[in-house]
Structures are given as structure tokens and as C-alpha cells.
Amino acid sequence: GQLGRMLGLAGLPLGVDFVFLDPAESPCATFVGEHLRAPYDDPDALAKLSAQCDVVTCEFENVPAGVFDILSPTEPHPAKQALHIAQERAREKTAFEAVGIPVAPWRCVENQSDVDQAIEDLGLPLIAKTRTMGYDGKGQQRVRAPEDATDLFEQLGNVPLLMERLVPFDSELSVVGTRAVDGSKVIFPLSQNVHRDGILHRSEQAHPDQSLQRQARKHFAALTDSLNYVGTLAIEFFVSGGLLLGNEFAPRVHNSGHWTQDGMPHDQFENHIRAVCGMPVGAGSPYGHSGMINLIGQTCGVEDLLGHSDVHIHLYGKSPRPGRKLGHVNVLANSASTLRERLNDIAAHLDRAYQAQAQQV
Amino acid sequence: GQLGRMLGLAGLPLGVDFVFLDPAESPCATFVGEHLRAPYDDPDALAKLSAQCDVVTCEFENVPAGVFDILSPTEPHPAKQALHIAQERAREKTAFEAVGIPVAPWRCVENQSDVDQAIEDLGLPLIAKTRTMGYDGKGQQRVRAPEDATDLFEQLGNVPLLMERLVPFDSELSVVGTRAVDGSKVIFPLSQNVHRDGILHRSEQAHPDQSLQRQARKHFAALTDSLNYVGTLAIEFFVSGGLLLGNEFAPRVHNSGHWTQDGMPHDQFENHIRAVCGMPVGAGSPYGHSGMINLIGQTCGVEDLLGHSDVHIHLYGKSPRPGRKLGHVNVLANSASTLRERLNDIAAHLDRAYQAQAQQV
């Protein structure tokens, strides 16, 4: 998808060539390298990938972790443990706790009596989540009163769940960074994220007090060191009572780090490629104040933004479809307040264009 | 080649897809789009290009200008006139003079008696140049004394020549900019260029007095308006007595503008694609002070630069060969003096690595 494409665009200038393994017809990836179309665990495709490539990495955390045993049979692949953990929410929370990242009170629930016990122990409101394959707000249900919990397993597909305390939070932040083979790190400034219908709508360089920035750096270092992880990784947090609470992490480049493409000398994509290829990661100071708005479902209105030199356009070459991420725009400003204003204006412009388009259809 | 590849890398995020027509096996271009391998004037390839593409542009000024009559039979292609002129030095100098760009005194010479007359009229020293297909210092000969001129036509391949006064110059500067369909322009700050063995070795953002910067902007606007040109174009100048003297122009993205990739919000490649696709061009202020060093013949030593966050690496995916441009590094600094120092250090490092490699072989 688009993450693979942007990894390719960032990696080609470093002298790296790409082969993409993707079971789908991938309109994005084919333009920046060869495309192997096969299931992720197809033995022939994996053998071909092994033969053609010096390094294998992934842009998607639900690649079966076992694939990496096939690709790297003698020693653990640097992504394997992180993928294994990120694929299951209980393992993920346990990993956060193990390295001192606070999380909202939680527990695993397998049946209705577990649910009743969780309500009693944790108190309401709670949120129930499937432990695997949840994304973009899918596989979740809020439990504000005990009666909301009566058909939880049916609602969520009769799979093992996890329930956690729905903590009132001030904002959603994420930290994106890259860990090199030697353990050195580039950690970008925190991003503040706004979701719409469970999908990331907007991210901007956050300017919280220094305590949150310090917590984020400490948590990023602790988690990636404990996993001996190599590459770019993102941790999503809720801010509650001056503390960062770990929500989930993604062992890959992340949508909330897209602003680094135009806001930092070396972005999350370039740094991921550098790290997995054993090169040092690139640091540097932000060029100013950066933010990003996703183009979801439609790209109408984006052509009007070309005339604004503070806007950088990134389209993925995908055809429009409701809820599909088709591109994003990055904005670079001289101050945090100008950035906020510009993001508001641009979001309003895109919403108007989207609505005008929807009325025409 | 690399210019096509970098146009592709810059254009994909704008939602533009690429088909490359290149008679050579092009290790660069194939990774960012389809490659049609055929002569530039192959009718079938041109028909295919026409059918597949909304817009055709070029990265090389010696594409036969007649190709554009085939591609655009009803109205002149926006590149055609500029190509026609840039392909022949006498036409080029005449075009400079016609829009008020001063040039060194010159004249066409067809035979030995013309040469004698030119020496008498223009005085010595002179430089003789083939009128077509000259590049990287090839097809040129200096005439310091009348006896240097006795076998000029034999030396330069028995083709029509041009002789011009060898003007003592302070430095070589170039201006790179982009003209949009509506005539609006983004004109980058002047670059100061240093050649080695006739090949561009190093460019950096120049900081001449404002008068030279004004002259450059005026000349760029006058030339591109007169040609009704659309896209990125570079003019190379000699600085002599406080004046910019036009040397030659290239109707395409240019090596001396590569520093804009990491030094400007919107670079020469993105702006070329925007312009030829009828989009507005992107302006903005430089991020700091930028420069570039070419990697010629070898890329050894470049891996050591990855650890320096002020350095941006751009490799073209070509195999090493003496005199071949294989990549470049861009450097971004906070001040002109820091930039100069860093470029000196990096050039010295690359030279040492190159020499060490040469000794091993």
C-alpha cells in the first residue's frame, strides 16, 4: 500500500531497490519496484523474496509473524518479536507494563462471567476490544452500563476480548521514532492526533510541556530496546492527568509520522530504510511547525492547494472509495498558531469540496 | 537517466504516473514507471507515448526537436522552440542577445579564413566550440595564439564552429527556475558552480550582491517568456565585471539545481512536473544554506556521510564507470560559512576515499 510506496520513494535515493510482496493488486507499490503477488506465507514467494533481497521488512503489522521464521531461520528477524506482540492486544499491554509504560486498567475476558467480573473490578465505563485484527476503530465496543455488555461476544464476533477502563483523556498523542541496529535512536517530536469515525484525520507536531516529551522519549527507548527492534515504530498514547498512557504500538512507519516528510531533514520512511539496512539513522531539527491532514475517500479540493507553497501534496495513486486513505497533505508553518490556523482552513476547504462533490453524485 | 528518475520520484506524490522513452537500457528510470526502449524518433514508440500520456516532457536537450511535431501536430509543444535553440550554440547566443542577456563577443566560423577574421575582429584569447552536441567540456578548444587555430576544424571533427572571446571571469553562476503555463515563475537563488575536467563537481547557493540576483531573475524571465517555455530551465553564466554573461541554457532540470531537493520546500523536479502538467508552481524560502557535490565515477566514501544529519544522499542506481555521474550529496547548513566548510570537508573526504579505492584496484 501507500506505506510501502513511500518507503520505496524514500529508499531509492539511498541506492536501495525494492521487491514488494503483496497479496492484493497493489496500485501503489508497482511503480517503485517489482511486485510479487502472492499470500504473505506463500513458500515460493518467500523463497523468491529471500533470494532477491538482502533485507525484508514490513509496512503492515498483521503479516503472520511466522513468515519471519521462514525468512530468517537461523536467528530471530529484528521485526519478529515486535510483530508477534503488536498482533495481540493483551501481549501489547503486558509489553507496555513490562517496560514501565502506564496503561489504563485492563484484563482479558473469555466469557460472560469474566465480563461481569471485569465490570466489578475495573468499574464503568469500559471499552471492550477484540485482541487481534482490530484497526481504525473496528472490533471495539463501549460499555457504559452493565446492560451494554450482555451481547458483547456476539457483537464482536465471538472471539477472545480484552476490557479496559475508558479513561477520560485530554488528547491523543503519538511518538514516532527509529531505532538503528546499534541501538541509537532518532525520536521525532510528539504528534497530536485527531480521529474521525475511528480513522486518523489530522496530526500535528504537539507542543506539550517538556515532561510529556521526556516521557515519550523514555517510553520509546524502553520499548524498542526491550524488543531489540530495528526500524521505525510508533506508540499511541492517551494523555490523562499529565501522564502518557500507552494505547497501542505499530512496529512500522505510521500515519501520524507523515508530517516528518516535509517537516524534518530525514523522515520516518528514510530512517526506516536506513535502520533495516544497517545504516545510521538521520537526526536533525524540525524545519518549523508541521502538520498533516489525511485525504479519505476522495481527493477533491486538493488541486486548489497546489497554489499554496506551505502545502505539500502526497497522493498514493489509489482509486477513490469511501473510508480509503488516498493521500495526505503536509503543512509547514513558522509558528504553532499559524499551523493550527492553516490546518483548520485547509480541513474546512477539503470538507466543503467533499460535500460539494457528494451533492453532485 | 537520473534526471528522469528524480522527476519520477518528485511526480509520483503529485498523483502523476510515468512512461519513459529511452533508447538505452535505463537502470534509473525503470523503477519509477514503465520503460519504452526505442529510439527517440521511433514512430511506434511515439504513438504509444501519445496514447498513454497526457503530457510529454524531456530530461535531455538533444532529443530531436522534430519529435515534438509528431507528438503535438496541431499546436507547438511548449518545449519545442527552447529545444531547437538550445541544440545549436549560434541560435542560443542569438536568443540571449535578443532578450538583452549580454554574451561574450562571438561569431560563427565555417572555414579557416573565417577563423583568421574572427581572431582579427575579436582578439585573443578565444575559445572555439562545436555548435551542436557539445557537453561536459567536450567539443571545445582554446585559441591563445594564432598557431593554436591552424587545425581547429580537424581537431573538432570538421563541423561548423563558433568562436567566442575567452572572457576572464570571477565565477560561474547559474540560475534555475520554473515557468508555469500562466507565465508565473519560481526562480531559485543563484548557484555558484565549480567544474572538474569539464564536469560539474560542486554547486552551492551563491550569495552575490543583490544586483547579480536581480540580473539573473530578469534574464530568466525574459528568456522563458520569449520562448513561451513551460517547465524548469537553467541558464549558466560567467560573472565578469559585475555582469552576468550568458554562456548556455538547458531547457530541463539541471545538475546545478539539485540542492533545491533538500534546500527548498518545492524543488526543481516537483516544479517541472507541476508546470508541464498545468499546475501552479510551488515557491517558498530556502531552509538555510545549501550545496551539492557530485559523485562521479565512484560512490566510495558516501556511506560514511550517512551519520551526518546535514547530508542528504541521492544515488541513481547506476553502475560505476569513470566520468559517469552516479549520485550527489546535498548539504544543508545554518550559514554560508558553515556550508562552505562542510562542502570542503566532504569533498576532501570523498577524494580520499576515491584515491584509496583507486590504489586498491
Side-chain angles (χ1 to χ4, degrees), chain A residues 75-313:
Chain A
E75 49 181 330
H77 187 283
K80 192 196 153 191
Q81 202 194 347
L83 276 172
H84 175 72
I85 292 170
Q87 286 169 1
E88 213 271 350
R89 287 187 191 277
R91 289 200 287 260
E92 194 175 33
K93 295 218 181 279
T94 306
F96 279 152
E97 290 173 323
V99 296
I101 302 177
V103 297
W106 67 282
R107 62 183 49 200
C108 288
V109 294
E110 319 275 336
N111 52 48
Q112 203 56 41
S113 111
D114 287 349
V115 170
D116 298 339
Q117 191 64 45
I119 292 175
E120 194 178 318
D121 293 349
L122 303 175
L124 290 172
L126 291 173
I127 184 161
K129 298 178 176 177
T130 58
R131 288 191 220 158
T132 60
M133 299 302 281
Y135 67 97
D136 285 352
K138 291 183 176 63
Q140 303 195 359
Q141 189 160 312
R142 294 183 181 211
V143 179
R144 301 196 179 272
E147 53 270 30
D148 294 344
T150 49
D151 58 354
L152 217 45
F153 286 94
E154 270 171 60
Q155 291 283 338
L156 293 174
N158 293 309
V159 289
L161 301 178
L162 165 155
M163 295 186 86
E164 63 181 77
R165 190 66 204 262
L166 198 60
V167 176
F169 61 86
D170 305 319
S171 59
E172 294 179 80
L173 300 183
S174 60
V175 66
V176 177
T178 311
R179 185 176 181 274
V181 169
D182 68 358
S184 64
K185 295 162 194 82
V186 165
I187 304 173
F188 295 116
L190 276 163
S191 298
Q192 179 164 349
N193 305 322
V194 177
H195 291 79
R196 268 190 190 176
D197 307 324
I199 302 176
L200 184 67
H201 169 55
R202 182 170 156 170
S203 284
E204 64 192 84
Q205 233 176 299
H207 297 275
D209 56 65
Q210 281 306 305
S211 153
L212 290 179
Q213 208 70 260
R214 271 197 305 273
Q215 290 174 47
R217 296 181 64 85
K218 199 183 95 199
H219 295 337
F220 181 89
L223 181 68
T224 56
D225 283 343
S226 79
L227 301 171
N228 204 18
Y229 181 75
V230 174
T232 294
L233 179 146
I235 312 176
E236 294 184 70
F237 300 105
F238 297 120
V239 185
S240 181
L243 271 189
L244 292 179
L245 299 182
N247 180 35
E248 57 186 55
F249 75 88
R252 56 167 169 81
V253 290
H254 193 258
N255 199 164
S256 70
H258 287 2
W259 62 262
T260 62
Q261 290 175 305
D262 299 293
M264 299 291 301
H266 303 279
D267 69 27
Q268 64 164 350
F269 300 99
E270 178 187 351
N271 274 330
H272 184 76
I273 297 299
R274 284 171 170 241
V276 299
C277 293
M279 304 175 195
V281 286
S285 305
Y287 289 139
H289 300 262
S290 291
M292 181 226 56
I293 298 174
N294 269 335
L295 304 171
I296 297 170
Q298 272 296 344
T299 59
C300 52
V302 77
E303 61 285 356
D304 307 316
L305 301 174
L306 281 160
H308 301 269
S309 63
D310 56 348
V311 176
H312 296 261
I313 291 169

Side-chain angles (χ1 to χ4, degrees), chain B residues 184-201:
Chain B
S184 63
K185 295 162 195 82
V186 165
I187 303 173
F188 295 116
L190 276 163
S191 298
Q192 181 164 347
N193 306 321
V194 177
H195 292 80
R196 269 190 191 176
D197 307 323
I199 302 176
L200 184 67
H201 169 55

Side-chain angles (χ1 to χ4, degrees), chain A residues 13 31 265-266 274 309 312 315, chain B residues 12-13 31 265-266 306 309 312 315:
Chain A
F31 297 110
H266 303 279
R274 284 171 170 241
S309 63
H312 296 261
L315 300 176
Chain B
L12 282 165
F31 297 111
H266 303 278
L306 282 160
S309 63
H312 297 262
L315 299 176

Side-chain angles (χ1 to χ4, degrees), chain B residues 256-324:
Chain B
S256 70
H258 287 3
W259 62 263
T260 61
Q261 290 176 306
D262 299 294
M264 298 291 301
H266 303 278
D267 68 27
Q268 64 164 350
F269 299 99
E270 179 186 351
N271 274 331
H272 184 77
I273 297 298
R274 284 172 172 239
V276 300
C277 293
M279 304 175 193
V281 285
S285 304
Y287 289 138
H289 300 262
S290 291
M292 180 225 58
I293 297 174
N294 269 337
L295 304 171
I296 296 170
Q298 272 297 343
T299 60
C300 51
V302 76
E303 62 284 358
D304 307 316
L305 302 175
L306 282 160
H308 301 269
S309 63
D310 56 348
V311 176
H312 297 262
I313 290 169
H314 299 268
L315 299 176
Y316 309 150
K318 293 163 124 184
S319 48
R321 185 198 298 164
R324 194 182 212 191

